[in-house]
Amino acid sequence: MMIPTDWLPVLMFGTLLVFMLSGFPVAFALAANGLLFGYVAIEQGMMNPALLQALPDRIFGIMSNDTLLAIPFFTFMGLMLERSGMAEELLETVGQLFGRVRGGLAFAVILVGALLAATTGVVAASVISMALISLPVMLKYGYSPRVATGTIAAAGTLAQIIPPSLVLIVLADQLGVSVGAMYTGALVPGLLLVGLFMAYIALIAMFNKQALPALPANTHFSAHTHQGPSIWSALLFVLLPPLVLIFLVLGSIYLGLATPTEGGAMGAVGATALTAAKRRLNGTLLKQALDSTTKLSCFVMFVLIGSTVFGLSFRAIEGDLWLEHLMGNLPGGKVGFLLAVNVLVFVLGCFLDFFEIVFIVLPLLVPIAAKLDIDLVWFGVMVAMNLQTSFLTPPFGFSLFYLKSVAPKSIRSIEIYQGIIPFIGLQLLMVGLIYAFPNLVGEKAVRSVDDAPLKVDVPETNYWDGQPQFVPKFSE
């Protein structure tokens, strides 16, 4: 039975959704769906069976991609630093410094979250560490449970936008731009987001004094408490190692002395040396870090391979052209396209992991963005900022799960959800600021976003891998 061509892309997406809702692993759901509709395309004469022979070459191309080497390096670096006790030391010392200020512990959590983002880059480690150390102290001295939990969850997600971020690495790979350009473009927006978080806490401390009280002078976070003038020397001692590591990794990339992959390798070595210097390096820790790194790297590779199979069949059934017609003819032209993309990414973030969104959706949107003359670095930073909300939005916000798993039983889930709503709003505000002020991503990288609507002309026949296709022309 022949299936109408116009319905095939919709049916393919629907089938993928059924696979994923059934609990089937995402990587295998993508590959199985791609092979299924590849068979349909062959049966309907839309794809040459010889195209499937190109899959091994495509998979080998993925495996030999140097850019993706940065993922295991930065993952290993983050895991080693997480086990080195750096988060505990930072929170202990910075908390002692800011504790006497109203809302000071919340300020400390945000600052430490930003430092951990620039070093570990691991959301789970950041959220759990800060929750275990800071949350009991916050609750003990009268902090609002909603503000405390929201601050910890939001600060932990900064690892997804502040370099070196795994999100930026995979986005750069899918967009076809350099990782260094993505890091440079995301730096200012990431720091501005930290500033927005701090400003929000300052407003609460100013107008709702009971929600964020100042802590007593003798507050103890752990057995190691720094008092008096020694707090400054302790702060220097605690801040120096991560700052040196940040300069070693990001500084070498920004200065052009190393590629992101080489910077990641230096970071992995530096994190191992730092852990050894603190006498915490042992065989068990090393095995755990290597095991977790291998699992995450394999997950990314299999999802990428599955998305390659999916993309091959999707193009064969002219799904890319269907999507171009759909997105290219939206009211508002570029503005309508960008609005639709951000709404789509935000909604998908409530249900999918950022890897899945990047590998499934982004390859279909990049050609449209390029035809609309949208700078891909700017586009990638905007999507990355939006993707950050996926860790906070219920029902599947991973930061919420991490926080709930270590929070006291007195903290209800509804309080955590209420606490993160303002921070989600601030992240979406930052998306709007990136659109309104493109130079935040960098003057050289960004072209202006024209508000003029675009229309699709009558398509012309073209060929893709030996098969006739229709490629729309965009014009003013």
Side-chain angles (χ1 to χ4, degrees):
M1 181 181 70
M2 297 289 289
I3 302 175
T5 303
D6 294 342
W7 284 95
L8 278 176
V10 180
L11 187 59
M12 190 171 183
F13 265 116
T15 306
L16 177 63
L17 184 62
V18 171
F19 271 125
M20 297 178 68
L21 291 177
S22 66
F24 209 64
V26 176
F28 302 124
L30 283 166
N33 197 36
L35 291 175
L36 173 62
F37 280 86
Y39 173 77
V40 172
I42 291 172
E43 287 296 307
Q44 298 201 175
M46 301 179 69
M47 184 171 77
N48 190 328
L51 285 178
L52 294 178
Q53 297 176 0
L55 280 177
D57 288 335
R58 293 192 176 201
I59 293 173
F60 181 77
I62 295 170
M63 301 294 291
S64 59
N65 189 339
D66 290 339
T67 301
L68 296 178
L69 273 176
I71 293 177
F73 284 140
F74 283 120
T75 302
F76 181 80
M77 181 185 79
L79 291 169
M80 291 299 291
L81 288 175
E82 183 253 326
R83 288 164 173 77
S84 71
M86 184 181 67
E88 290 87 342
E89 293 179 353
L90 284 171
L91 278 170
E92 164 70 24
T93 309
V94 179
Q96 287 292 326
L97 181 64
F98 286 92
R100 300 184 187 183
V101 180
R102 186 177 295 116
L105 194 51
F107 289 129
V109 166
I110 294 172
L111 289 174
V112 171
L115 282 172
L116 292 177
T119 49
T120 64
V122 181
V123 172
S126 298
V127 173
I128 292 174
S129 298
M130 291 191 292
L132 287 173
I133 299 165
S134 301
L135 188 56
V137 180
M138 287 176 155
L139 298 177
K140 178 180 178 181
Y141 289 97
Y143 269 60
S144 165
R146 286 185 296 179
V147 178
T149 55
T151 302
I152 291 172
T157 62
L158 290 171
Q160 298 308 303
I161 191 63
I162 294 179
S165 162
L166 295 184
V167 173
L168 297 176
I169 294 174
V170 295
L171 276 172
D173 179 69
Q174 293 300 299
L175 291 168
V177 300
S178 72
V179 177
M182 287 295 295
Y183 279 2
T184 303
L187 183 61
V188 173
L191 295 177
L192 281 178
L193 184 62
V194 174
L196 286 178
F197 287 176
M198 301 277 282
Y200 170 68
I201 296 299
L203 287 175
I204 295 180
M206 187 182 303
F207 296 105
N208 189 359
K209 299 179 180 180
Q210 294 181 347
L212 299 173
L215 303 187
N218 59 349
T219 302
H220 292 263
F221 291 76
S222 66
H224 308 287
T225 303
H226 304 288
Q227 301 282 347
S230 63
I231 184 66
W232 296 104
S233 59
L235 183 65
L236 178 63
F237 178 77
V238 169
L239 284 179
L240 192 58
L243 290 178
V244 169
L245 191 62
I246 290 171
F247 178 77
L248 178 68
V249 177
L250 297 181
S252 61
I253 295 172
Y254 290 144
L255 294 174
L257 301 177
T259 65
T261 301
E262 294 167 344
M266 289 191 295
V269 173
T272 305
L274 182 61
T275 306
K278 295 185 177 183
R279 299 180 180 180
R280 297 198 180 193
L281 183 63
N282 53 54
T284 302
L285 187 152
L286 187 61
K287 181 178 180 300
Q288 291 174 348
L290 290 171
D291 184 61
S292 298
T293 301
T294 303
K295 287 180 179 178
L296 178 65
S297 301
C298 290
F299 168 76
V300 172
M301 297 304 294
F302 273 100
V303 171
L304 189 51
I305 290 170
S307 67
T308 299
V309 180
F310 178 87
L312 178 69
S313 298
F314 192 71
R315 289 185 178 87
I317 64 174
E318 300 180 354
D320 54 336
L321 303 178
W322 167 77
L323 194 62
E324 285 177 358
H325 280 282
L326 179 65
M327 303 295 283
N329 288 319
L330 287 172
K334 295 179 182 179
V335 177
F337 169 75
L338 291 170
L339 180 61
V341 168
N342 280 290
V343 171
L344 176 65
V345 170
F346 180 79
V347 173
L348 289 177
C350 297
F351 306 97
L352 300 178
D353 180 67
F354 75 89
F355 278 123
E356 299 160 7
I357 297 173
V358 171
F359 289 143
I360 297 172
V361 178
L362 204 63
L364 306 176
L365 299 176
V366 169
I368 305 173
K371 287 184 178 181
L372 293 176
D373 200 32
I374 296 173
D375 183 82
L376 295 183
V377 173
W378 177 79
F379 181 70
V381 173
M382 177 182 288
V383 171
M385 186 64 71
N386 197 332
L387 277 172
Q388 191 175 348
T389 63
S390 67
F391 281 85
L392 297 177
T393 47
F396 299 116
F398 290 102
S399 290
L400 309 182
F401 294 149
Y402 300 144
L403 180 58
K404 182 61 179 175
S405 67
V406 296
K409 293 182 179 180
S410 60
I411 299 293
R412 298 175 298 163
S413 296
I414 187 64
E415 291 178 310
I416 298 177
Y417 292 157
Q418 291 171 342
I420 54 92
I421 290 175
F423 291 97
I424 294 174
L426 291 174
Q427 291 174 348
L428 294 178
L429 173 61
M430 196 63 231
V431 173
L433 290 175
I434 291 173
Y435 172 79
F437 304 99
N439 286 341
L440 291 176
V441 179
E443 291 186 27
K444 294 181 180 180
V446 178
R447 305 185 198 113
S448 62
V449 180
D450 188 5
D451 292 344
L454 285 90
K455 61 182 180 179
V456 181
D457 292 338
V458 178
E460 65 177 15
T461 303
N462 201 347
Y463 287 85
W464 173 78
D465 286 337
Q467 296 296 313
Q469 288 202 110
F470 295 100
V471 180
K473 287 182 178 179
F474 291 86
S475 63
E476 299 292 341

